[in-house]
PDB file of all heavy atoms in Angstrom:
ATOM      1  N   MET A   1     -57.649 104.979-145.217  1.00  0.00           N
ATOM      2  CA  MET A   1     -57.243 103.569-145.273  1.00  0.00           C
ATOM      3  C   MET A   1     -55.759 103.380-144.903  1.00  0.00           C
ATOM      4  O   MET A   1     -55.394 102.534-144.165  1.00  0.00           O
ATOM      5  CB  MET A   1     -57.585 102.948-146.678  1.00  0.00           C
ATOM      6  CG  MET A   1     -57.408 101.454-146.792  1.00  0.00           C
ATOM      7  SD  MET A   1     -58.899 100.718-146.255  1.00  0.00           S
ATOM      8  CE  MET A   1     -60.121 101.298-147.418  1.00  0.00           C
ATOM      9  N   VAL A   2     -54.920 104.264-145.487  1.00  0.00           N
ATOM     10  CA  VAL A   2     -53.512 104.236-145.121  1.00  0.00           C
ATOM     11  C   VAL A   2     -53.251 104.373-143.681  1.00  0.00           C
ATOM     12  O   VAL A   2     -52.399 103.753-143.109  1.00  0.00           O
ATOM     13  CB  VAL A   2     -52.791 105.347-145.893  1.00  0.00           C
ATOM     14  CG1 VAL A   2     -51.336 105.448-145.438  1.00  0.00           C
ATOM     15  CG2 VAL A   2     -52.712 105.132-147.482  1.00  0.00           C
ATOM     16  N   GLU A   3     -54.006 105.267-143.008  1.00  0.00           N
ATOM     17  CA  GLU A   3     -53.802 105.517-141.626  1.00  0.00           C
ATOM     18  C   GLU A   3     -54.286 104.344-140.891  1.00  0.00           C
ATOM     19  O   GLU A   3     -53.631 103.968-139.974  1.00  0.00           O
ATOM     20  CB  GLU A   3     -54.557 106.822-141.270  1.00  0.00           C
ATOM     21  CG  GLU A   3     -53.948 108.048-141.840  1.00  0.00           C
ATOM     22  CD  GLU A   3     -54.854 109.308-141.714  1.00  0.00           C
ATOM     23  OE1 GLU A   3     -55.969 109.201-141.063  1.00  0.00           O
ATOM     24  OE2 GLU A   3     -54.506 110.383-142.244  1.00  0.00           O
ATOM     25  N   ALA A   4     -55.406 103.704-141.277  1.00  0.00           N
ATOM     26  CA  ALA A   4     -55.816 102.446-140.536  1.00  0.00           C
ATOM     27  C   ALA A   4     -54.914 101.342-140.698  1.00  0.00           C
ATOM     28  O   ALA A   4     -54.704 100.565-139.676  1.00  0.00           O
ATOM     29  CB  ALA A   4     -57.275 102.168-141.101  1.00  0.00           C
ATOM     30  N   ILE A   5     -54.343 101.167-141.860  1.00  0.00           N
ATOM     31  CA  ILE A   5     -53.463 100.101-142.139  1.00  0.00           C
ATOM     32  C   ILE A   5     -52.120 100.369-141.227  1.00  0.00           C
ATOM     33  O   ILE A   5     -51.658  99.427-140.582  1.00  0.00           O
ATOM     34  CB  ILE A   5     -53.080 100.023-143.608  1.00  0.00           C
ATOM     35  CG1 ILE A   5     -54.253  99.576-144.462  1.00  0.00           C
ATOM     36  CG2 ILE A   5     -51.847  99.029-143.776  1.00  0.00           C
ATOM     37  CD1 ILE A   5     -53.902  99.723-145.948  1.00  0.00           C
ATOM     38  N   ALA A   6     -51.638 101.526-141.130  1.00  0.00           N
ATOM     39  CA  ALA A   6     -50.440 101.817-140.408  1.00  0.00           C
ATOM     40  C   ALA A   6     -50.717 101.575-138.947  1.00  0.00           C
ATOM     41  O   ALA A   6     -49.837 101.297-138.073  1.00  0.00           O
ATOM     42  CB  ALA A   6     -50.041 103.232-140.697  1.00  0.00           C
ATOM     43  N   ALA A   7     -51.940 101.820-138.489  1.00  0.00           N
ATOM     44  CA  ALA A   7     -52.267 101.649-137.042  1.00  0.00           C
ATOM     45  C   ALA A   7     -52.656 100.177-136.799  1.00  0.00           C
ATOM     46  O   ALA A   7     -53.022  99.909-135.747  1.00  0.00           O
ATOM     47  CB  ALA A   7     -53.560 102.529-136.758  1.00  0.00           C
ATOM     48  N   ARG A   8     -52.645  99.384-137.791  1.00  0.00           N
ATOM     49  CA  ARG A   8     -52.980  97.905-137.669  1.00  0.00           C
ATOM     50  C   ARG A   8     -54.441  97.767-137.320  1.00  0.00           C
ATOM     51  O   ARG A   8     -54.796  96.799-136.560  1.00  0.00           O
ATOM     52  CB  ARG A   8     -52.105  97.217-136.726  1.00  0.00           C
ATOM     53  CG  ARG A   8     -50.533  97.496-136.930  1.00  0.00           C
ATOM     54  CD  ARG A   8     -50.072  97.357-138.288  1.00  0.00           C
ATOM     55  NE  ARG A   8     -50.121  96.031-138.875  1.00  0.00           N
ATOM     56  CZ  ARG A   8     -50.378  95.764-140.117  1.00  0.00           C
ATOM     57  NH1 ARG A   8     -50.763  96.633-140.975  1.00  0.00           N
ATOM     58  NH2 ARG A   8     -50.450  94.409-140.565  1.00  0.00           N
ATOM     59  N   ASP A   9     -55.259  98.665-137.769  1.00  0.00           N
ATOM     60  CA  ASP A   9     -56.700  98.549-137.411  1.00  0.00           C
ATOM     61  C   ASP A   9     -57.452  97.776-138.510  1.00  0.00           C
ATOM     62  O   ASP A   9     -58.102  98.442-139.346  1.00  0.00           O
ATOM     63  CB  ASP A   9     -57.302  99.972-137.289  1.00  0.00           C
ATOM     64  CG  ASP A   9     -58.677 100.115-136.837  1.00  0.00           C
ATOM     65  OD1 ASP A   9     -59.289  99.013-136.615  1.00  0.00           O
ATOM     66  OD2 ASP A   9     -59.141 101.219-136.514  1.00  0.00           O
ATOM     67  N   GLY A  10     -57.346  96.501-138.415  1.00  0.00           N
ATOM     68  CA  GLY A  10     -57.865  95.694-139.422  1.00  0.00           C
ATOM     69  C   GLY A  10     -59.375  95.762-139.406  1.00  0.00           C
ATOM     70  O   GLY A  10     -60.065  95.666-140.598  1.00  0.00           O
ATOM     71  N   ALA A  11     -60.117  95.973-138.269  1.00  0.00           N
ATOM     72  CA  ALA A  11     -61.477  96.069-138.412  1.00  0.00           C
ATOM     73  C   ALA A  11     -62.017  97.269-139.270  1.00  0.00           C
ATOM     74  O   ALA A  11     -63.011  97.221-139.894  1.00  0.00           O
ATOM     75  CB  ALA A  11     -62.037  96.155-136.828  1.00  0.00           C
ATOM     76  N   SER A  12     -61.270  98.416-139.001  1.00  0.00           N
ATOM     77  CA  SER A  12     -61.572  99.574-139.771  1.00  0.00           C
ATOM     78  C   SER A  12     -61.389  99.366-141.285  1.00  0.00           C
ATOM     79  O   SER A  12     -62.292  99.681-142.031  1.00  0.00           O
ATOM     80  CB  SER A  12     -60.760 100.802-139.383  1.00  0.00           C
ATOM     81  OG  SER A  12     -61.054 101.876-140.182  1.00  0.00           O
ATOM     82  N   VAL A  13     -60.217  98.788-141.629  1.00  0.00           N
ATOM     83  CA  VAL A  13     -59.974  98.434-143.103  1.00  0.00           C
ATOM     84  C   VAL A  13     -61.052  97.591-143.680  1.00  0.00           C
ATOM     85  O   VAL A  13     -61.612  97.936-144.746  1.00  0.00           O
ATOM     86  CB  VAL A  13     -58.532  97.874-143.179  1.00  0.00           C
ATOM     87  CG1 VAL A  13     -58.342  97.537-144.668  1.00  0.00           C
ATOM     88  CG2 VAL A  13     -57.514  98.879-142.756  1.00  0.00           C
ATOM     89  N   ALA A  14     -61.169  96.513-143.001  1.00  0.00           N
ATOM     90  CA  ALA A  14     -62.201  95.505-143.474  1.00  0.00           C
ATOM     91  C   ALA A  14     -63.582  95.992-143.524  1.00  0.00           C
ATOM     92  O   ALA A  14     -64.373  95.751-144.520  1.00  0.00           O
ATOM     93  CB  ALA A  14     -62.197  94.192-142.594  1.00  0.00           C
ATOM     94  N   GLY A  15     -63.972  96.844-142.555  1.00  0.00           N
ATOM     95  CA  GLY A  15     -65.325  97.446-142.528  1.00  0.00           C
ATOM     96  C   GLY A  15     -65.454  98.399-143.724  1.00  0.00           C
ATOM     97  O   GLY A  15     -66.578  98.367-144.261  1.00  0.00           O
ATOM     98  N   GLN A  16     -64.507  99.226-144.079  1.00  0.00           N
ATOM     99  CA  GLN A  16     -64.577 100.060-145.140  1.00  0.00           C
ATOM    100  C   GLN A  16     -64.675  99.385-146.451  1.00  0.00           C
ATOM    101  O   GLN A  16     -65.569  99.671-147.311  1.00  0.00           O
ATOM    102  CB  GLN A  16     -63.436 101.032-145.252  1.00  0.00           C
ATOM    103  CG  GLN A  16     -63.298 102.013-144.196  1.00  0.00           C
ATOM    104  CD  GLN A  16     -62.072 102.891-144.222  1.00  0.00           C
ATOM    105  OE1 GLN A  16     -61.924 103.642-145.206  1.00  0.00           O
ATOM    106  NE2 GLN A  16     -61.174 102.793-143.299  1.00  0.00           N
ATOM    107  N   ILE A  17     -64.008  98.277-146.660  1.00  0.00           N
ATOM    108  CA  ILE A  17     -64.025  97.477-147.837  1.00  0.00           C
ATOM    109  C   ILE A  17     -65.336  96.747-147.961  1.00  0.00           C
ATOM    110  O   ILE A  17     -65.914  96.651-149.066  1.00  0.00           O
ATOM    111  CB  ILE A  17     -62.759  96.495-147.904  1.00  0.00           C
ATOM    112  CG1 ILE A  17     -61.467  97.165-147.890  1.00  0.00           C
ATOM    113  CG2 ILE A  17     -62.828  95.562-149.114  1.00  0.00           C
ATOM    114  CD1 ILE A  17     -61.195  98.008-149.088  1.00  0.00           C
ATOM    115  N   ALA A  18     -65.728  96.027-146.876  1.00  0.00           N
ATOM    116  CA  ALA A  18     -66.938  95.307-146.842  1.00  0.00           C
ATOM    117  C   ALA A  18     -68.129  96.224-147.157  1.00  0.00           C
ATOM    118  O   ALA A  18     -69.035  95.849-147.884  1.00  0.00           O
ATOM    119  CB  ALA A  18     -67.125  94.561-145.529  1.00  0.00           C
ATOM    120  N   GLY A  19     -68.175  97.410-146.593  1.00  0.00           N
ATOM    121  CA  GLY A  19     -69.257  98.361-146.835  1.00  0.00           C
ATOM    122  C   GLY A  19     -69.287  98.698-148.391  1.00  0.00           C
ATOM    123  O   GLY A  19     -70.387  98.814-148.947  1.00  0.00           O
ATOM    124  N   ALA A  20     -68.124  98.826-148.972  1.00  0.00           N
ATOM    125  CA  ALA A  20     -68.105  99.153-150.363  1.00  0.00           C
ATOM    126  C   ALA A  20     -68.595  97.908-151.174  1.00  0.00           C
ATOM    127  O   ALA A  20     -69.358  98.123-152.258  1.00  0.00           O
ATOM    128  CB  ALA A  20     -66.628  99.424-150.793  1.00  0.00           C
ATOM    129  N   ALA A  21     -68.216  96.784-150.712  1.00  0.00           N
ATOM    130  CA  ALA A  21     -68.722  95.511-151.467  1.00  0.00           C
ATOM    131  C   ALA A  21     -70.214  95.433-151.321  1.00  0.00           C
ATOM    132  O   ALA A  21     -70.878  95.094-152.315  1.00  0.00           O
ATOM    133  CB  ALA A  21     -68.131  94.331-150.815  1.00  0.00           C
ATOM    134  N   ARG A  22     -70.834  95.767-150.237  1.00  0.00           N
ATOM    135  CA  ARG A  22     -72.294  95.674-150.091  1.00  0.00           C
ATOM    136  C   ARG A  22     -72.884  96.690-151.058  1.00  0.00           C
ATOM    137  O   ARG A  22     -73.979  96.377-151.650  1.00  0.00           O
ATOM    138  CB  ARG A  22     -72.732  95.918-148.622  1.00  0.00           C
ATOM    139  CG  ARG A  22     -72.286  94.684-147.735  1.00  0.00           C
ATOM    140  CD  ARG A  22     -73.004  94.823-146.425  1.00  0.00           C
ATOM    141  NE  ARG A  22     -72.457  96.060-145.586  1.00  0.00           N
ATOM    142  CZ  ARG A  22     -71.345  95.840-144.746  1.00  0.00           C
ATOM    143  NH1 ARG A  22     -70.878  94.730-144.698  1.00  0.00           N
ATOM    144  NH2 ARG A  22     -70.993  96.899-144.139  1.00  0.00           N
ATOM    145  N   ARG A  23     -72.385  97.887-151.161  1.00  0.00           N
ATOM    146  CA  ARG A  23     -72.907  98.789-152.045  1.00  0.00           C
ATOM    147  C   ARG A  23     -72.768  98.450-153.516  1.00  0.00           C
ATOM    148  O   ARG A  23     -73.672  98.668-154.400  1.00  0.00           O
ATOM    149  CB  ARG A  23     -72.222 100.247-151.863  1.00  0.00           C
ATOM    150  CG  ARG A  23     -72.487 100.881-150.512  1.00  0.00           C
ATOM    151  CD  ARG A  23     -72.049 102.337-150.421  1.00  0.00           C
ATOM    152  NE  ARG A  23     -70.597 102.393-150.436  1.00  0.00           N
ATOM    153  CZ  ARG A  23     -69.852 102.326-149.345  1.00  0.00           C
ATOM    154  NH1 ARG A  23     -70.292 102.037-148.218  1.00  0.00           N
ATOM    155  NH2 ARG A  23     -68.456 102.482-149.434  1.00  0.00           N
ATOM    156  N   LEU A  24     -71.654  97.732-153.892  1.00  0.00           N
ATOM    157  CA  LEU A  24     -71.516  97.180-155.147  1.00  0.00           C
ATOM    158  C   LEU A  24     -72.595  96.211-155.482  1.00  0.00           C
ATOM    159  O   LEU A  24     -73.127  96.073-156.579  1.00  0.00           O
ATOM    160  CB  LEU A  24     -70.118  96.599-155.350  1.00  0.00           C
ATOM    161  CG  LEU A  24     -68.863  97.589-155.375  1.00  0.00           C
ATOM    162  CD1 LEU A  24     -67.663  96.787-155.297  1.00  0.00           C
ATOM    163  CD2 LEU A  24     -68.996  98.454-156.685  1.00  0.00           C
ATOM    164  N   GLN A  25     -72.849  95.318-154.459  1.00  0.00           N
ATOM    165  CA  GLN A  25     -73.818  94.280-154.638  1.00  0.00           C
ATOM    166  C   GLN A  25     -75.277  94.838-154.789  1.00  0.00           C
ATOM    167  O   GLN A  25     -75.967  94.416-155.668  1.00  0.00           O
ATOM    168  CB  GLN A  25     -73.748  93.334-153.444  1.00  0.00           C
ATOM    169  CG  GLN A  25     -74.700  92.074-153.511  1.00  0.00           C
ATOM    170  CD  GLN A  25     -74.410  91.080-152.435  1.00  0.00           C
ATOM    171  OE1 GLN A  25     -74.077  91.441-151.343  1.00  0.00           O
ATOM    172  NE2 GLN A  25     -74.721  89.800-152.782  1.00  0.00           N
ATOM    173  N   ALA A  26     -75.505  95.894-154.145  1.00  0.00           N
ATOM    174  CA  ALA A  26     -76.807  96.626-154.234  1.00  0.00           C
ATOM    175  C   ALA A  26     -76.873  97.197-155.547  1.00  0.00           C
ATOM    176  O   ALA A  26     -78.037  97.379-156.155  1.00  0.00           O
ATOM    177  CB  ALA A  26     -76.926  97.729-153.096  1.00  0.00           C
ATOM    178  N   GLY A  27     -75.797  97.578-156.174  1.00  0.00           N
ATOM    179  CA  GLY A  27     -75.829  98.136-157.609  1.00  0.00           C
ATOM    180  C   GLY A  27     -75.697  97.168-158.581  1.00  0.00           C
ATOM    181  O   GLY A  27     -75.587  97.497-159.827  1.00  0.00           O
ATOM    182  N   GLY A  28     -75.787  95.816-158.272  1.00  0.00           N
ATOM    183  CA  GLY A  28     -76.039  94.709-159.229  1.00  0.00           C
ATOM    184  C   GLY A  28     -74.760  94.039-159.628  1.00  0.00           C
ATOM    185  O   GLY A  28     -74.721  93.189-160.504  1.00  0.00           O
ATOM    186  N   ALA A  29     -73.599  94.280-158.889  1.00  0.00           N
ATOM    187  CA  ALA A  29     -72.400  93.536-159.182  1.00  0.00           C
ATOM    188  C   ALA A  29     -72.582  92.100-158.783  1.00  0.00           C
ATOM    189  O   ALA A  29     -73.183  91.755-157.847  1.00  0.00           O
ATOM    190  CB  ALA A  29     -71.266  94.116-158.425  1.00  0.00           C
ATOM    191  N   ASP A  30     -72.027  91.279-159.654  1.00  0.00           N
ATOM    192  CA  ASP A  30     -72.098  89.724-159.449  1.00  0.00           C
ATOM    193  C   ASP A  30     -70.939  89.222-158.624  1.00  0.00           C
ATOM    194  O   ASP A  30     -71.049  88.094-157.982  1.00  0.00           O
ATOM    195  CB  ASP A  30     -72.118  89.027-160.732  1.00  0.00           C
ATOM    196  CG  ASP A  30     -73.434  89.254-161.484  1.00  0.00           C
ATOM    197  OD1 ASP A  30     -74.533  88.980-161.052  1.00  0.00           O
ATOM    198  OD2 ASP A  30     -73.311  89.855-162.608  1.00  0.00           O
ATOM    199  N   PHE A  31     -69.840  89.901-158.579  1.00  0.00           N
ATOM    200  CA  PHE A  31     -68.646  89.639-157.684  1.00  0.00           C
ATOM    201  C   PHE A  31     -67.802  90.859-157.754  1.00  0.00           C
ATOM    202  O   PHE A  31     -68.141  91.871-158.256  1.00  0.00           O
ATOM    203  CB  PHE A  31     -67.802  88.439-158.386  1.00  0.00           C
ATOM    204  CG  PHE A  31     -67.213  88.858-159.701  1.00  0.00           C
ATOM    205  CD1 PHE A  31     -65.795  89.090-159.807  1.00  0.00           C
ATOM    206  CD2 PHE A  31     -67.951  88.833-160.876  1.00  0.00           C
ATOM    207  CE1 PHE A  31     -65.171  89.411-161.004  1.00  0.00           C
ATOM    208  CE2 PHE A  31     -67.261  89.152-162.104  1.00  0.00           C
ATOM    209  CZ  PHE A  31     -65.856  89.433-162.207  1.00  0.00           C
ATOM    210  N   PHE A  32     -66.763  90.778-156.888  1.00  0.00           N
ATOM    211  CA  PHE A  32     -65.995  92.038-156.741  1.00  0.00           C
ATOM    212  C   PHE A  32     -64.464  91.755-156.729  1.00  0.00           C
ATOM    213  O   PHE A  32     -64.084  90.604-156.314  1.00  0.00           O
ATOM    214  CB  PHE A  32     -66.421  92.904-155.665  1.00  0.00           C
ATOM    215  CG  PHE A  32     -66.000  92.485-154.270  1.00  0.00           C
ATOM    216  CD1 PHE A  32     -65.105  93.270-153.522  1.00  0.00           C
ATOM    217  CD2 PHE A  32     -66.488  91.365-153.665  1.00  0.00           C
ATOM    218  CE1 PHE A  32     -64.725  92.955-152.253  1.00  0.00           C
ATOM    219  CE2 PHE A  32     -66.212  91.064-152.334  1.00  0.00           C
ATOM    220  CZ  PHE A  32     -65.244  91.975-151.628  1.00  0.00           C
ATOM    221  N   ALA A  33     -63.631  92.719-156.879  1.00  0.00           N
ATOM    222  CA  ALA A  33     -62.132  92.637-156.713  1.00  0.00           C
ATOM    223  C   ALA A  33     -61.774  93.992-156.026  1.00  0.00           C
ATOM    224  O   ALA A  33     -62.365  95.012-156.237  1.00  0.00           O
ATOM    225  CB  ALA A  33     -61.517  92.440-158.035  1.00  0.00           C
ATOM    226  N   ILE A  34     -60.669  93.841-155.201  1.00  0.00           N
ATOM    227  CA  ILE A  34     -60.137  95.070-154.561  1.00  0.00           C
ATOM    228  C   ILE A  34     -58.868  95.429-155.263  1.00  0.00           C
ATOM    229  O   ILE A  34     -57.964  94.576-155.479  1.00  0.00           O
ATOM    230  CB  ILE A  34     -59.790  94.680-153.078  1.00  0.00           C
ATOM    231  CG1 ILE A  34     -61.052  94.123-152.277  1.00  0.00           C
ATOM    232  CG2 ILE A  34     -59.344  95.926-152.384  1.00  0.00           C
ATOM    233  CD1 ILE A  34     -60.681  93.427-151.016  1.00  0.00           C
ATOM    234  N   CYS A  35     -58.863  96.695-155.719  1.00  0.00           N
ATOM    235  CA  CYS A  35     -57.781  97.166-156.612  1.00  0.00           C
ATOM    236  C   CYS A  35     -56.544  97.663-155.728  1.00  0.00           C
ATOM    237  O   CYS A  35     -55.990  98.661-155.774  1.00  0.00           O
ATOM    238  CB  CYS A  35     -58.147  98.210-157.465  1.00  0.00           C
ATOM    239  SG  CYS A  35     -59.601  97.835-158.527  1.00  0.00           S
ATOM    240  N   CYS A  36     -56.040  96.637-154.906  1.00  0.00           N
ATOM    241  CA  CYS A  36     -54.925  96.939-153.998  1.00  0.00           C
ATOM    242  C   CYS A  36     -54.467  95.613-153.442  1.00  0.00           C
ATOM    243  O   CYS A  36     -55.280  94.777-153.067  1.00  0.00           O
ATOM    244  CB  CYS A  36     -55.357  97.882-152.885  1.00  0.00           C
ATOM    245  SG  CYS A  36     -54.179  98.186-151.636  1.00  0.00           S
ATOM    246  N   ASN A  37     -53.155  95.399-153.416  1.00  0.00           N
ATOM    247  CA  ASN A  37     -52.602  94.231-152.765  1.00  0.00           C
ATOM    248  C   ASN A  37     -52.636  94.305-151.207  1.00  0.00           C
ATOM    249  O   ASN A  37     -53.053  93.279-150.600  1.00  0.00           O
ATOM    250  CB  ASN A  37     -51.117  94.046-153.170  1.00  0.00           C
ATOM    251  CG  ASN A  37     -51.005  93.481-154.567  1.00  0.00           C
ATOM    252  OD1 ASN A  37     -50.913  92.307-154.833  1.00  0.00           O
ATOM    253  ND2 ASN A  37     -50.852  94.436-155.550  1.00  0.00           N
ATOM    254  N   THR A  38     -52.151  95.465-150.672  1.00  0.00           N
ATOM    255  CA  THR A  38     -51.986  95.487-149.291  1.00  0.00           C
ATOM    256  C   THR A  38     -53.204  95.212-148.399  1.00  0.00           C
ATOM    257  O   THR A  38     -53.066  94.469-147.400  1.00  0.00           O
ATOM    258  CB  THR A  38     -51.415  96.873-148.843  1.00  0.00           C
ATOM    259  OG1 THR A  38     -50.199  97.173-149.623  1.00  0.00           O
ATOM    260  CG2 THR A  38     -51.177  97.028-147.302  1.00  0.00           C
ATOM    261  N   VAL A  39     -54.380  95.683-148.890  1.00  0.00           N
ATOM    262  CA  VAL A  39     -55.631  95.550-147.988  1.00  0.00           C
ATOM    263  C   VAL A  39     -56.085  94.056-147.932  1.00  0.00           C
ATOM    264  O   VAL A  39     -56.919  93.665-147.196  1.00  0.00           O
ATOM    265  CB  VAL A  39     -56.655  96.374-148.367  1.00  0.00           C
ATOM    266  CG1 VAL A  39     -56.289  97.873-148.219  1.00  0.00           C
ATOM    267  CG2 VAL A  39     -57.147  96.188-149.850  1.00  0.00           C
ATOM    268  N   HIS A  40     -55.429  93.163-148.808  1.00  0.00           N
ATOM    269  CA  HIS A  40     -55.809  91.729-148.796  1.00  0.00           C
ATOM    270  C   HIS A  40     -55.289  91.102-147.509  1.00  0.00           C
ATOM    271  O   HIS A  40     -55.758  89.965-147.342  1.00  0.00           O
ATOM    272  CB  HIS A  40     -55.299  91.031-150.035  1.00  0.00           C
ATOM    273  CG  HIS A  40     -56.183  91.255-151.271  1.00  0.00           C
ATOM    274  ND1 HIS A  40     -56.184  92.495-151.989  1.00  0.00           N
ATOM    275  CD2 HIS A  40     -57.076  90.436-151.876  1.00  0.00           C
ATOM    276  CE1 HIS A  40     -57.060  92.310-152.967  1.00  0.00           C
ATOM    277  NE2 HIS A  40     -57.632  91.199-152.845  1.00  0.00           N
ATOM    278  N   GLU A  41     -54.575  91.750-146.761  1.00  0.00           N
ATOM    279  CA  GLU A  41     -54.294  91.174-145.463  1.00  0.00           C
ATOM    280  C   GLU A  41     -55.481  90.913-144.653  1.00  0.00           C
ATOM    281  O   GLU A  41     -55.376  89.966-143.816  1.00  0.00           O
ATOM    282  CB  GLU A  41     -53.342  92.112-144.648  1.00  0.00           C
ATOM    283  CG  GLU A  41     -52.942  91.696-143.314  1.00  0.00           C
ATOM    284  CD  GLU A  41     -51.955  92.595-142.552  1.00  0.00           C
ATOM    285  OE1 GLU A  41     -51.576  93.641-143.137  1.00  0.00           O
ATOM    286  OE2 GLU A  41     -51.588  92.188-141.414  1.00  0.00           O
ATOM    287  N   TYR A  42     -56.466  91.705-144.878  1.00  0.00           N
ATOM    288  CA  TYR A  42     -57.763  91.621-144.154  1.00  0.00           C
ATOM    289  C   TYR A  42     -58.859  91.028-145.040  1.00  0.00           C
ATOM    290  O   TYR A  42     -60.055  91.144-144.717  1.00  0.00           O
ATOM    291  CB  TYR A  42     -58.139  92.931-143.589  1.00  0.00           C
ATOM    292  CG  TYR A  42     -57.183  93.647-142.822  1.00  0.00           C
ATOM    293  CD1 TYR A  42     -56.440  94.695-143.306  1.00  0.00           C
ATOM    294  CD2 TYR A  42     -56.681  93.062-141.551  1.00  0.00           C
ATOM    295  CE1 TYR A  42     -55.277  95.284-142.570  1.00  0.00           C
ATOM    296  CE2 TYR A  42     -55.660  93.619-140.870  1.00  0.00           C
ATOM    297  CZ  TYR A  42     -54.973  94.690-141.350  1.00  0.00           C
ATOM    298  OH  TYR A  42     -53.955  95.340-140.590  1.00  0.00           O
ATOM    299  N   ALA A  43     -58.503  90.245-146.013  1.00  0.00           N
ATOM    300  CA  ALA A  43     -59.475  89.590-146.981  1.00  0.00           C
ATOM    301  C   ALA A  43     -60.511  88.771-146.266  1.00  0.00           C
ATOM    302  O   ALA A  43     -61.663  88.804-146.591  1.00  0.00           O
ATOM    303  CB  ALA A  43     -58.802  88.927-148.141  1.00  0.00           C
ATOM    304  N   ASP A  44     -60.066  87.967-145.352  1.00  0.00           N
ATOM    305  CA  ASP A  44     -60.914  87.116-144.587  1.00  0.00           C
ATOM    306  C   ASP A  44     -61.926  87.949-143.735  1.00  0.00           C
ATOM    307  O   ASP A  44     -63.114  87.429-143.611  1.00  0.00           O
ATOM    308  CB  ASP A  44     -60.097  86.125-143.713  1.00  0.00           C
ATOM    309  CG  ASP A  44     -59.351  85.102-144.404  1.00  0.00           C
ATOM    310  OD1 ASP A  44     -59.632  84.902-145.712  1.00  0.00           O
ATOM    311  OD2 ASP A  44     -58.415  84.490-143.892  1.00  0.00           O
TER     312      ASP A  44
END
């Protein structure tokens, strides 16, 4: 993630986070939060 952020590869960063969110949802999570400020650059 650090390497993708440094390379300004927002698609990679967002893809990794979104994939994690989908796995959380499959595990029954009702909502989610990202434990990091920096990656919120790609929150949308």
Side-chain angles (χ1 to χ4, degrees):
M1 192 80 67
V2 168
E3 294 169 3
I5 292 169
R8 315 310 292 142
D9 188 353
S12 175
V13 174
Q16 293 178 64
I17 299 294
R22 288 191 292 271
R23 292 190 293 274
L24 289 171
Q25 189 170 27
D30 294 298
F31 69 102
F32 79 111
I34 307 166
C35 305
C36 176
N37 283 269
T38 302
V39 299
H40 280 77
E41 179 176 1
Y42 305 110
D44 289 345

